[in-house]
Amino acid sequence: PAKVRTIAIKKLAAGGNTPTFDEAFAAAVVRPRVPFLVHRSDLASELVASYMWWCHGISEPHQHLVVGLPSEPVIADAGACWLHFGKILTKFAEAVSRGDVDVGNGGEVVAQLIVIFGRDSAMAGLSKGFATSSVAAPGIEEPREQDQLSPLFVATSAKTFTGELDVYIFLQHTFASELVRGIAETSAELSQRTGLADPVRVGKLSFTHFVPLYEKATDPRELAVLFGRSAAIRCANGTAGVDLIIPVLMPDKNGKYYVLGENMTSILVQ
């Protein structure tokens, strides 16, 4: 698995030693984690040629490519290793402002990035705030700034972002402490009143990226599949009352965690 991850990290930098922080690299890093559409033809062509994107179709006069990237946990984890370099989101924001890419509703993409950064911070064991994921591993000399941009350095020193995480720890790294306390107290009260397990206290989540849901319904079995793929849901346009769905795994009556539909619940983000 470590070798596969290293290959993915290098491929996201177009296989080069030092990535060029342009719109194509920014799109290649963000897209494995947050779904969006590409409108600019030359950008779409470069993403297919150098960044592992798929070409789904070509317009009749051959002027426009329909491109995309499927849900892939390894690629999403590799994207996490690059995402926290400051230039990435700056370049991506420039592409959005020019209309080169379509992220959909602005509030939805901001919400996705907030929860992604919160989860990354928790998984990396970082304090609150956005910090680079390429932190020197124990026994490795602190590298020069230019060497920090090497795919090989990022692959060998950046912590993995894939894995289970306690809901409460995720909340602590995502929201203000006062808000987290309020959520925890409300959840505990509901648990006592209903006799159901408290998802804030015992729930676990596992997501590194979002996948679009084109229908207006899902079921617990699908949540279990998404949990196993470290994926969360961006709901279909027009879905009432919810924009994002984050699968949460609950213990069974014996306190054991099995990824089954009957053990799944979710966090809804509006």
Side-chain angles (χ1 to χ4, degrees):
K3 291 182 178 180
V4 173
R5 181 170 176 267
T6 299
I7 293 172
I9 290 172
K10 290 181 178 181
K11 288 293 290 182
L12 274 184
N17 293 322
T18 302
T20 55
F21 283 88
D22 56 11
E23 290 83 359
F25 181 55
V29 167
V30 175
R31 177 58 186 87
R33 313 199 71 190
V34 177
F36 60 83
L37 301 176
V38 177
H39 292 318
R40 208 179 83 201
S41 184
D42 62 321
L43 176 60
S45 178
E46 185 175 356
L47 289 168
V48 172
S50 302
Y51 293 99
M52 299 182 290
W53 284 49
W54 294 10
C55 179
H56 301 296
I58 304 175
S59 64
E60 189 63 31
H62 291 189
Q63 293 180 342
H64 183 69
L65 298 178
V66 180
V67 300
L69 197 67
S71 166
E72 173 47 59
V74 175
I75 304 299
D77 188 88
C81 295
W82 285 116
L83 182 60
H84 298 275
F85 289 101
K87 296 179 181 179
I88 294 295
L89 288 183
T90 299
K91 284 296 183 181
F92 185 69
E94 291 174 0
V96 173
S97 65
R98 287 195 301 269
D100 296 341
V101 301
D102 179 8
V103 296
N105 185 291
E108 291 179 5
V109 72
V110 170
Q112 289 172 82
L113 289 173
I114 287 174
V115 297
I116 279 175
F117 273 116
R119 186 188 187 283
D120 288 356
S121 175
M123 287 298 295
L126 303 175
S127 60
K128 288 184 180 179
F130 302 159
T132 176
S133 62
S134 53
V135 178
I140 296 180
E141 183 180 351
E142 189 68 24
R144 297 172 301 168
E145 181 179 357
Q146 60 267 34
D147 293 334
Q148 291 185 13
L149 302 181
S150 163
L152 182 59
F153 169 75
V154 175
T156 55
S157 63
K159 298 179 181 180
T160 179
F161 292 93
T162 303
E164 295 179 2
L165 180 67
D166 291 343
V167 169
Y168 185 69
I169 294 176
F170 160 73
L171 294 175
Q172 286 182 309
H173 283 261
T174 308
F175 303 108
S177 56
E178 295 83 2
L179 179 59
V180 174
R181 281 197 298 270
I183 294 172
E185 290 172 359
T186 301
S187 183
E189 291 173 2
L190 287 173
S191 177
Q192 291 178 354
R193 191 160 58 241
T194 62
L196 299 174
D198 181 355
V200 173
R201 185 174 62 87
V202 300
K204 296 183 181 294
L205 50 78
S206 177
F207 74 97
T208 55
H209 63 293
F210 284 88
V211 295
L213 180 68
Y214 296 108
E215 299 178 356
K216 295 185 178 181
T218 186
D219 64 50
R221 292 172 298 179
E222 293 174 342
L223 291 177
V225 172
L226 290 168
F227 186 95
R229 292 188 59 79
S230 296
I233 296 172
R234 188 200 69 188
C235 294
N237 292 335
T239 302
V242 60
D243 294 324
L244 310 176
I245 301 174
I246 301 175
V248 174
L249 176 65
M250 299 291 289
D252 63 15
K253 61 182 180 181
N254 297 316
K256 303 294 185 180
Y257 290 89
Y258 297 104
V259 185
L260 302 171
E262 62 198 56
N263 296 333
M264 300 304 300
T265 185
S266 61
I267 296 174
L268 306 182
V269 181
Q270 183 178 15

